[in-house]
Amino acid sequence: MLAWIQHAFEMVVNEWGWALLRGALVTIQISFGAFVVGLLIGLVVAMAKLSGNAPVKKLANAYTTVCRAVPELLLILLLYYAGSDAINAVLRLFDMAPVDLNGFVAAVTVLGVVQGAYAAEIIRGAVQAIPYGHIEASKAFGCGRWLTLRRVILPEMMPYALAGLANLWMVLIKDSALISVVGYNELLFTTKQAAGSTRQYLLFYMAVAAIYLLVTLLSNAVFVRFERSFRRWMPAH
Amino acid sequence: MSAVKENGNLQQGPIIEVTDLHKQFGPHTVLDGVSLTAHTGDVVSLIGASGSGKSTLLRCLNMLEIPHRGKVCISGEEILLKTNRHGQTVPANPRQVDKIRTRLGMVFQNFNLWPHMTVLENIIEVPVRILKQPKAEAIAYAEALLEKVGMSAKRDAYPGFLSGGQQQRVAIARALATRPAVMLFDEPTSALDPELVGEVLKVIRDLAKEGCTMLLVTHEMSFAREVSSKVLFLHKGRIEESGTPEAVFTAPVSERCRQFVNAQQWKS
């Protein structure tokens, strides 16, 4: 038994440790990039839904509906293969050499676009939770729209949005594994290689599950701190 | 502290001049041709039953409600309105409205302090961000205002941890921080527990004594009678009665005003 554990440790940590670590890092990078892109898209779309004119609202609604309806996996395949085809077709028109779509950029873009749809709904709900009088006070003192957004709406909606955004982040860490279908070396893809070449399927898949769990626990700790800081002005119930 | 100095130019004429204001919410006419003027040092109280249009009139002064017709001049500057392609009346120049709003200190029924900012941050927000005052100067003035409304001890507290009366006193300090030409009070004590009304009225009374120009929408009849230089009684979107507090409260010409005033006096 002891010998087996020693052997397992040797394989996972000594032989594949660096590769797995690099994979985990890539997973976190993809997730973080997509989270930021998603937040920015979500913010713009939420504002469009709340205060845009009719055509803008329709567009925003169409975006959130479609991106929440189509499987992320399909969107990744679509953007990666169809997207690189389209880019190369355009490049050919201008007699330029074809390019390979960077897997990282594709992952961040696709996941960000999907996350944006969910983030938009979370942010929209959080903004609507702000009593309108607070926004009206800002108007009544001559703060323009931009200042009101930056100084009142965004900071005040954060406590209401945080739980939903934390959820989104957790889902994102796991969704980033989908990018392995286009052969990009993130955590799960690396693990598949390790498991396949050593034939230690159980060992490696359990190890990677533990890594995902660890990342999630760490994220949780960070979000708890955020929440405490964002809620400091709210009296406890 | 000396009397409240105003930002913007000192005008010879009236500070507020409203001419023939009309406002509708759907088919319902809320203001039906209202005119009023207020000069420096005036304390004008707007009284009347709920739905008579007094709050709407106040909110038309800083364009929180856009009137359909009529003219609003603040310190001699007319707020320019235009009709957009949907047939709605909108400000012709939003920047002009924002500029004029900094000269009007609004106090709301529900305080509407920004809950994520401390008391001090609430007060210096507009002076620092909009009027571009140096932060140290804004803080010094904010502290003087907090002293005046008796809230110095709560300088670094968040509004959510204060009582309604304390929040409203901070809200008054916030409105004073821009050195407005006029203070607008929209039922400042209506959301307060009865035992907290006094502390807020005391602050407003002190301001009136200092010669601060104010427009006050209120249901506190004895207070209106005590502090006002002029009282307007609104009924169905029209000014039904106006004059000195004595005239309006003791010898009203209009029958409706007489009934309203009597009913209010019975209550208190």
Side-chain angles (χ1 to χ4, degrees), chain B residues 29-42:
Chain B
T29 301
V30 186
L31 293 178
D32 192 14
V34 172
S35 301
L36 80 89
T37 50
H39 293 83
T40 307
D42 279 356

Side-chain angles (χ1 to χ4, degrees), chain B residues 4-57:
Chain B
V4 181
K5 281 174 286 176
E6 61 184 83
N7 81 52
N9 301 326
L10 270 168
Q11 279 301 128
Q12 290 302 316
I15 287 195
I16 290 181
E17 192 169 14
V18 174
T19 320
D20 195 32
L21 217 57
H22 290 259
K23 170 75 184 172
Q24 277 166 309
F25 289 124
H28 182 60
T29 301
V30 186
L31 293 178
D32 192 14
V34 172
S35 301
L36 80 89
T37 50
H39 293 83
T40 307
D42 279 356
V43 177
V44 180
S45 288
L46 305 171
I47 60 169
S50 299
S52 58
K54 49 194 192 312
S55 279
T56 306
L57 172 57

Side-chain angles (χ1 to χ4, degrees), chain A residues 53 131-145 147 150-153 155-156 231-236, chain B residues 59 62 64 97-99 101-102 104-106 108 112-117 125-126 129-130 158 160-161 171 174-175 178:
Chain A
N53 56 21
Y132 186 68
H134 300 172
I135 296 165
E136 196 165 59
S138 186
K139 278 165 77 177
F141 287 108
C143 305
R145 287 171 70 136
L147 197 67
R150 196 161 59 84
R151 296 288 300 170
V152 177
I153 297 178
E156 210 178 324
R231 296 185 69 95
R232 69 189 180 283
W233 48 269
M234 287 185 159
Chain B
R59 290 162 58 84
N62 57 6
L64 286 182
V97 173
D98 280 343
K99 199 182 81 200
R101 279 170 171 168
T102 64
L104 300 169
M106 181 91 170
F108 296 87
N112 290 340
L113 293 171
W114 298 300
H116 56 291
M117 300 182 196
E125 175 73 8
V126 176
R129 305 262 164 192
I130 308 278
Y158 287 100
F161 296 86
R174 173 177 70 173
T178 58

